[in-house]
Amino acid sequence: MRDYLFIVTGMVLYALGFTIFILPHEIVVGGMAGFSTLIFFASGGIIPVAVTMYVVNITMLVCWFKILGRSFVLRTVFGATLLSLIIGSIESYFTSHPPIVTDKTMSMLMGSALCGFGVGMYYAHKGSAGGTDIVAAVLEKKANISIGRTMMIIDVTIVTCSFFLPFDGALDARIQSRVQTIIYGWTSIVIYSLLANYIVNADRQTIQFLILSPKWHEIADNITHKSGRGVTTFDGHGFWTGENRTMLMVWCRQYDADAIYDIIKDIDEEAYVIQSEARSVYGNGFDPLRLKNRKILQPKQPAKDNITTPAQI
């Protein structure tokens, strides 16, 4: 229930950011929302954004059900349905009235921030709204292309296609107007992608502690039993003092760091503590180790007729 609460909240934030601050200024962003925006303006506002989003999402899920798997499809159906309902219930009002924030830049920044927080929130709790997620997941399984790269290429392409939307005016005026819109769209992609990535990885960031203290045994015992994190010991030798020391190494998530600091402070306030970020930690208690199957090219064997023997040389 906690996950679904955050998923719903994230969907609401994304829908509000997109519909209130981005869509009224005719800015095309990435993802299924951007593709649906293209259809909306290309049709002269006849086909609502929410309708295109839902129809295309469900169609892709039906076509690629066997590739994506039941769990992914069910989560995406829930997210796509909810997001389409929220956007569909409010888009007609905001597209038929002047933008709430008249300044285009400020409106884009606000909308991108809300979209980024929303996407990060529902991604962090295993939610999915479909769109480019579906295409990226299929290509990852069929063509071994990373999801992040696929989504970036698709998003940039969708925004660039806004150049060809209907426009009343000469070519020079079209270029001047559309290039600005495209830049707004690309900027929006960067902002909400960075925010979403930060939110998704904030709690999953792995921290490494190196602890040096004469009370190392007590510190290690408390960390193990109070925080639930493992401790590794190393035998060290002080060059200047000539004393043998024991160093502790601890890996933990960001949300465990404060508890470990409290344990160290309560036992030995003068302990040496080094904290650093670990880029990736795989194994028990952390992320599972996943390796993609890479196709290994076998060297071609020369044809029997073309084999050169020492005697021929």
Side-chain angles (χ1 to χ4, degrees), residues 89-116:
S89 63
I90 61 177
E91 70 168 298
S92 60
Y93 175 83
F94 290 103
T95 53
S96 59
H97 289 75
I100 292 179
V101 180
T102 55
D103 184 85
K104 194 172 185 177
T105 302
M106 294 302 298
S107 187
M108 181 274 295
L109 292 174
M110 186 62 191
S112 301
L114 287 176
C115 288

Side-chain angles (χ1 to χ4, degrees), residues 58-76:
I58 298 302
T59 302
M60 290 193 297
L61 290 174
V62 171
C63 293
W64 294 325
F65 179 85
K66 292 183 179 180
I67 299 175
L68 297 171
R70 185 172 177 231
S71 176
F72 180 87
V73 170
L74 290 178
R75 286 188 289 112
T76 306

Side-chain angles (χ1 to χ4, degrees), residues 184-204:
Y184 276 115
W186 287 344
T187 306
S188 178
I189 291 175
V190 173
I191 293 172
Y192 71 66
S193 297
L194 290 175
L195 282 174
N197 187 64
Y198 174 79
I199 293 171
V200 170
N201 295 321
D203 288 340
R204 300 182 64 221

Side-chain angles (χ1 to χ4, degrees), residues 136-173:
V138 171
L139 289 178
E140 185 190 34
K141 293 184 178 182
K142 300 296 288 185
N144 205 18
I145 303 174
S146 68
I147 289 180
R149 183 181 303 175
T150 303
M151 293 179 68
M152 180 59 67
I153 293 173
I154 295 175
D155 289 348
V156 170
T157 303
I158 289 173
V159 173
T160 306
C161 288
S162 64
F163 180 84
F164 303 100
L165 289 174
F167 182 83
D168 295 331
L171 179 60
D172 292 342

Side-chain angles (χ1 to χ4, degrees), residues 30 39-40 47 51 60 84 86 137-138 147 176 181 184 243 293:
I39 301 299
F40 175 75
I47 304 176
V51 172
M60 290 193 297
S84 297
I86 299 172
V138 171
I147 289 180
Q176 185 177 9
T181 303
Y184 276 115
E243 298 178 358
N293 295 324

